[in-house]
């Protein structure tokens, strides 16, 4: 995916965002000259750093496609105005080698249930409250072809909405 971004001439920035749960979280920021007022972003989390990175890149690309399609009614009109704008400036933070990031995470599980149990234990240890999961495809709604669940983690707080602020270099 990174090769495709480079080949397309896209400005992009990738960030590893460490968490207290030891789960790799990645963020991706994309910018193209054809929509110069927009810096789109995406993030992804997974116990595999490579999967987390792929999710971040895909989500950022989906955000761009959403703007191209014009399918969100909360997009500011300035996004579609022509003009000459300077692209994003690098944060100046030096790159961390991928091998160092990937090497920091060595967890692997045999089943999704084992992985979910590990994550539930980490959330419980950090918050004092276990996450709640409700299977929405149980009973009369049970399906073989898909599953839907609602998970709530009390005492966790997520403040960012609709944007993923770019990290700043620590001084």
């Amino acid at each position: 995916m990174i090769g495709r971004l480079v080949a397309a001439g896209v400005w992009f920035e990738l960030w590893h965002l460490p968490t207290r749960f030891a789960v790799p979280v990645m963020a991706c920021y994309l910018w193209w000259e054809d929509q110069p007022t927009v810096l789109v972003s995406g993030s992804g989390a997974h116990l595999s750093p490579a999967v987390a990175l792929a999710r971040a890149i895909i989500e950022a690309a989906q955000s761009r496609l959403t703007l191209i399609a014009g399918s969100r009614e909360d997009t500011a009109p300035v996004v579609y105005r022509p003009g000459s704008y300077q692209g994003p400036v690098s944060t100046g933070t030096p790159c961390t080698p991928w091998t160092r990031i990937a090497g920091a995470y060595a967890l692997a599980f045999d089943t999704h249930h084992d992985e979910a149990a590990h994550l539930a234990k980490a959330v419980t240890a950090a918050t004092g409250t276990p996450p709640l999961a409700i299977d929405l495809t149980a009973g009369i709604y049970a399906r073989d072809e898909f599953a839907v669940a609602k998970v709530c983690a009390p005492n966790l707080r997520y403040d960012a909405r609709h944007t993923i602020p770019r990290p700043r270099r620590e001084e």
Side-chain angles (χ1 to χ4, degrees):
M1 284 189 275
I2 291 172
R4 292 178 77 177
L5 293 175
V6 170
V10 175
W11 178 96
F12 65 96
E13 190 171 81
L14 304 171
W15 283 85
H16 169 235
L17 308 171
T19 70
R20 62 184 167 164
F21 303 107
V23 173
V25 175
M26 307 293 175
C28 176
Y29 302 87
L30 303 176
W31 180 83
W32 276 271
E33 289 181 350
D34 66 343
Q35 280 189 313
T37 62
V38 180
L39 177 68
V40 294
S41 59
S43 63
H46 193 274
L47 287 174
S48 163
V51 173
L53 181 60
R55 287 179 176 178
I57 294 169
I58 290 167
E59 185 176 277
Q62 287 175 332
S63 294
R64 165 136 165 99
L65 290 173
T66 299
L67 289 174
I68 291 169
S71 58
R72 287 191 59 119
E73 59 189 42
D74 61 345
T75 301
V78 71
V79 168
Y80 303 104
R81 290 191 189 129
S84 177
Y85 302 92
Q86 184 174 351
V89 177
S90 172
T91 61
T93 302
C95 293
T96 303
W98 178 252
T99 53
R100 183 170 155 205
I101 293 170
Y105 301 98
L107 291 176
F109 296 93
D110 293 331
T111 69
H112 293 300
H113 294 288
D114 293 343
E115 186 174 350
H118 167 77
L119 293 170
K121 185 176 176 181
V123 168
T124 303
T127 65
T129 305
L132 308 170
I134 301 166
D135 182 356
L136 299 176
T137 51
I140 63 170
Y141 302 105
R143 299 284 185 271
D144 290 333
E145 63 273 16
F146 66 89
V148 179
K150 175 77 174 178
V151 178
C152 179
N155 297 331
L156 284 183
R157 186 172 174 176
Y158 179 70
D159 292 327
R161 294 288 184 238
H162 302 295
T163 61
I164 304 169
R166 284 174 72 200
R168 291 191 202 123
R169 192 166 116 186
E170 294 183 20
E171 301 292 329

